[in-house]
Amino acid sequence: MKKVIIVLVLLSATVNVSAQAVRKYSNEFLNIGVDAAALGMSNAVVATTKDVNAGYWNPAGLTLLEDKQISLMHAQYFAGIANYNYGAFATPIDEKSAVAFYIVRFGVDDILDTTQLIDANGDIDYNRISLFSTADWAFSFSYARKTNIEGLRYGATAKVVRRIIGDFASSWGFGFDVGVQYDRNQWHFGAIAKDITTTFNAWTIEEDAVARIQQATPIDGRNQELPETTEITLPKLQVGLSRDFDLGKDFLLNTEIDMNVRFAETNDIISSSSVSATPAFGFELGYSNLVFLRGGVGNFQNIEQFDGSSDLGFQPNFGVGFQYKGISIDYALTDIGDQSAAIYSNVFSVKVDWSVFK
């Protein structure tokens, strides 16, 4: 009988907050990352992102675009149960400014709804099983502009979040990200403050659908209460420092170290009652701006074990890329060796520069 209340459990885990409290983890699908090139570097790209994907990582980098670009990415998580898709478009407006749009969907499809498995006579009827999906969507608009100070630029992203759990619940949310980048010789600095005003999600719970679940589970379901209908995402900060190394003979190495900060107590390697932080390091070795080898390590977490002790977990990533005449194809393998609590994934992305059509 426990299986038939799975939807109520899912609802409670997703939107249960008190009127005055906020959650440490909210809209987490927007923290996974986009673009196989960035994922191969363990997301340590906030200081150097400068293409269409900067709308996600740091909108300030959009000002370095020379032409229109589009980007597409697909990944699967949890042994293929969840699908993660991303698409983006960016274009310069003039020599100093640019805009971008992106769409993200993280979803689990074809979930078995067994809440009506038992009919009014108490008999099991498998024809009463239906399917539903749970999906998280994000839609964004970014604007970036160069300042009169050489090497300094800024940008902002407005995002709308749409989350759906079958016919049981749905929500709308809205938030802002603000980023800045600064270049000096071979050094690059970047920072992005995400959800700076806190991203607020307002949930609508379909009480009739929940009531059907409670009626189908009179013993286990009668004590289930409706979740709260508000959810607030706390601000986050990512700061990065990068340097380029010219290795000669057409080789160029870029390295970057980032610090990801949350304003809440988490399992991050650096943690207090009000602030937590975890570092990330990534590199990209390019040959003739044609072939790229990438690697990185991040997501350092204190993972609690069954015996009550804790071990240090981290996520090493690897990636390769190929670029030719405005077309880039990138691949990343995340969590090599299964060193963290996350499950490894194969990620593919494609980026096309408008110059390829000229």
Side-chain angles (χ1 to χ4, degrees):
M1 293 294 293
K2 291 183 179 179
K3 291 184 178 180
V4 295
I5 62 171
I6 186 173
V7 177
L8 276 178
V9 175
L10 182 60
L11 284 173
S12 299
T14 304
V15 300
N16 188 25
V17 294
S18 65
Q20 281 75 34
V22 293
R23 299 180 61 189
K24 297 178 185 178
Y25 303 101
S26 175
N27 293 330
E28 284 299 297
F29 75 104
L30 287 176
N31 295 325
I32 296 174
V34 301
D35 178 34
L39 292 169
M41 297 175 63
S42 292
N43 299 349
V45 297
V46 69
T48 52
T49 181
K50 57 183 179 180
D51 58 12
V52 58
N53 301 301
Y56 176 94
W57 291 112
N58 188 343
L62 292 170
T63 59
L64 300 180
L65 282 170
E66 297 181 356
D67 207 338
K68 300 180 181 68
Q69 287 184 350
I70 60 173
S71 179
L72 300 171
M73 186 198 77
H74 172 73
Q76 293 183 332
Y77 289 87
F78 312 117
I81 295 175
N83 289 293
Y84 183 47
N85 296 297
Y86 159 83
F89 170 78
T91 181
I93 298 177
D94 51 38
E95 293 182 354
K96 284 193 171 184
S97 58
V99 294
F101 309 85
Y102 74 72
I103 299 175
V104 170
R105 181 187 186 271
F106 186 90
V108 179
D109 301 303
D110 297 331
I111 303 172
L112 294 177
D113 180 0
T114 61
T115 58
Q116 305 301 309
L117 177 63
I118 300 176
D119 62 23
N121 298 320
D123 298 324
I124 295 177
D125 184 358
Y126 292 103
N127 293 323
R128 295 166 62 90
I129 296 177
S130 59
L131 302 175
F132 72 97
S133 298
T134 175
D136 297 332
W137 293 84
F139 310 88
S140 83
F141 170 76
S142 301
Y143 174 79
R145 187 170 182 82
K146 294 179 180 178
T147 69
N148 293 328
I149 301 175
E150 184 178 357
L152 181 63
R153 49 196 178 271
Y154 65 89
T157 296
K159 54 191 179 185
V160 175
V161 180
R162 175 64 168 165
R163 306 182 67 186
I164 302 171
I165 303 177
D167 297 328
F168 305 97
S170 62
S171 76
W172 288 97
F174 187 76
F176 285 97
D177 301 340
V178 174
V180 63
Q181 286 182 335
Y182 178 68
D183 299 332
R184 185 174 179 83
N185 300 323
Q186 294 178 310
W187 290 93
H188 313 282
F189 169 81
I192 182 169
K194 296 184 177 181
D195 305 302
I196 57 171
T197 59
T198 70
T199 295
F200 181 83
N201 288 74
W203 282 87
T204 299
I205 309 298
E206 299 298 332
E207 297 186 18
D208 291 341
V210 175
R212 292 197 301 270
I213 301 173
Q214 293 173 330
Q215 293 172 1
T217 57
I219 297 178
D220 295 324
R222 63 188 176 190
N223 295 322
Q224 292 289 335
E225 297 180 357
L226 291 177
E228 296 289 340
T229 56
T230 58
E231 183 181 48
I232 296 176
T233 304
L234 288 172
K236 294 176 287 292
L237 178 66
Q238 184 173 352
V239 180
L241 180 65
S242 171
R243 191 182 192 281
D244 296 329
F245 297 90
D246 187 354
L247 304 182
K249 294 185 179 179
D250 299 321
F251 284 96
L252 180 65
L253 174 66
N254 169 259
T255 60
E256 179 166 338
I257 184 168
D258 285 11
M259 186 64 73
N260 298 281
V261 181
R262 291 178 182 264
F263 297 95
E265 185 175 9
T266 69
N267 289 334
D268 288 345
I269 188 173
I270 303 171
S271 183
S272 68
S273 59
S274 58
V275 178
S276 301
T278 182
F281 171 78
F283 74 88
E284 177 184 75
L285 177 63
Y287 173 72
S288 296
N289 202 32
L290 180 69
V291 181
F292 302 89
L293 175 68
R294 307 180 180 101
V297 60
N299 195 29
F300 292 88
Q301 302 281 311
N302 293 312
I303 302 176
E304 186 173 353
Q305 306 301 309
F306 289 109
D307 60 2
S309 63
S310 64
D311 288 341
L312 177 63
F314 57 93
Q315 184 172 325
N317 294 352
F318 166 81
V320 294
F322 176 77
Q323 177 177 282
Y324 183 70
K325 291 187 177 180
I327 299 177
S328 300
I329 300 174
D330 297 295
Y331 165 78
L333 177 63
T334 66
D335 196 20
I336 302 170
D338 196 24
Q339 297 296 318
S340 75
I343 300 175
Y344 79 89
S345 296
N346 297 286
V347 184
F348 296 89
S349 66
V350 176
K351 182 177 65 179
V352 178
D353 193 282
W354 235 247
S355 62
V356 73
F357 301 112
K358 296 180 181 179

